[in-house]
Amino acid sequence: MHALRFGLALAVLSACGPSGRADDSSTETTPATQTGATVTASTSSSSGDVAPTTTGDASTTTTSGTTDAPGTITAVTSTTEPVTSTSTGPVDPSTTTDGPKLDLPPEMPIPVADIPGLVSITFYESTSGVMEYTFLVDGPELNQLLVDPLSNANRDIEGTSVEFYDVYYSDVDGVFDPQGSYLTIAGSFGAKLPAGGGLNLAEISLNFDNNELEFGSFLASFVGLGDNYVAGSEVNAIDNNLDTHTTMGNTVDTPGQRLRVTLGFKSSLMPG
């Protein structure tokens, strides 16, 4: 009887193999991939209060991500699966691009009105040649938002008999803010094609007590409307050239909206 049981045990051990367990199995996964989309925008330029050679039906983008101008904006997007990594030693800072670049000053915006030595601000408007409209830093024009509708009796700047503008301190999106680090000109123009588009801003300058000037260096945001809006002309407001200007269109079909250009300045965005 004991011999029979011993033989059966030997048979079972032989069937399981030398290790006494079944064979292992393994799987392999492929790395995650990253996808993305890019944005393109067409640009053109035209100037003057005559019929422009190009019209503003092109798509536009703004630094704040949206505009009231005609067109479609496609946002840049990207996705990726989480990735883990290990390191066996210290990281050499000279070999990585992660993190802030320490050789550049940090961004510490201050209100435009608090820029040291600033006396006044000039808006260069180009309806009939370049006209200069200068306002004191602490004057009422820059420190209040005019109610709509704008008119000859309710405006800071008048271009033509149907062109009225409000100027003020603002945030990056052109929202009125007396402590804002940006300057905005916004308003209405009541003429379609064949008239040229309105809001013809050549530059905005900061005027200091030592007689130095500083033009805008950052196109923060803008709104162009109507059939005589010239898409792409916005950058003319920061090219340091009084012979070029923006052409932001008209508000005939959009009476509840304003044409607008908002600029930033090195002295308020990167002071010191």
Side-chain angles (χ1 to χ4, degrees):
M1 179 66 68
H2 291 296
L4 178 58
R5 290 177 179 174
F6 182 73
L8 290 173
L10 287 176
V12 171
L13 290 173
S14 298
C16 291
S19 63
R21 60 182 174 80
D23 292 340
D24 292 333
S25 63
S26 63
T27 61
E28 182 177 351
T29 61
T30 58
T33 59
Q34 180 171 324
T35 61
T38 60
V39 178
T40 60
S42 61
T43 60
S44 62
S45 65
S46 179
S47 63
D49 278 333
V50 296
T53 56
T54 49
T55 59
D57 292 329
S59 300
T60 63
T61 60
T62 74
T63 57
S64 60
T66 61
T67 95
D68 294 325
T72 302
I73 299 173
T74 303
V76 177
T77 59
S78 64
T79 59
T80 182
E81 296 296 329
V83 177
T84 60
S85 62
T86 60
S87 175
T88 58
V91 176
D92 182 356
S94 66
T95 64
T96 179
T97 57
D98 294 336
K101 292 185 178 296
L102 301 180
D103 58 338
L104 294 177
E107 182 175 317
M108 297 183 297
I110 63 173
V112 172
D114 290 347
I115 296 174
L118 184 62
V119 175
S120 62
I121 294 166
T122 299
F123 293 76
Y124 299 84
E125 205 271 344
S126 300
T127 294
S128 301
V130 178
M131 302 295 293
E132 300 181 11
Y133 298 87
T134 299
F135 306 98
L136 295 177
V137 169
D138 58 355
E141 296 86 0
L142 294 166
N143 287 280
Q144 66 180 357
L145 181 70
L146 299 177
V147 298
D148 289 322
L150 299 176
S151 67
N152 176 265
N154 180 42
R155 57 31 171 193
D156 293 325
I157 294 174
E158 180 176 350
T160 70
S161 60
V162 292
E163 185 176 23
F164 310 107
Y165 297 104
D166 188 7
V167 297
Y168 50 86
Y169 300 119
S170 76
D171 68 8
V172 68
D173 296 314
V175 177
F176 172 66
D177 180 1
Q179 296 298 305
S181 299
Y182 300 83
L183 284 168
T184 289
I185 177 172
S188 60
F189 179 56
K192 294 183 175 183
L193 286 175
L199 210 171
N200 307 125
L201 178 67
E203 299 286 337
I204 301 175
S205 73
L206 306 181
N207 310 317
F208 294 91
D209 55 9
N210 60 0
N211 295 322
E212 291 185 355
L213 303 180
E214 178 186 338
F215 288 133
S217 56
F218 177 49
L219 177 63
S221 59
F222 57 87
V223 176
L225 300 167
D227 57 3
N228 47 14
Y229 162 47
V230 179
S233 65
E234 303 85 17
V235 296
N236 291 337
I238 56 169
D239 64 358
N240 296 348
N241 184 355
L242 295 179
D243 291 330
T244 64
H245 58 73
T246 64
T247 304
M248 305 308 295
N250 72 82
T251 54
V252 173
D253 295 327
T254 53
Q257 299 183 55
R258 288 183 173 190
L259 310 173
R260 178 173 58 80
V261 176
T262 299
L263 301 186
F265 297 77
K266 184 178 179 181
S267 290
S268 57
L269 300 181
M270 304 288 284

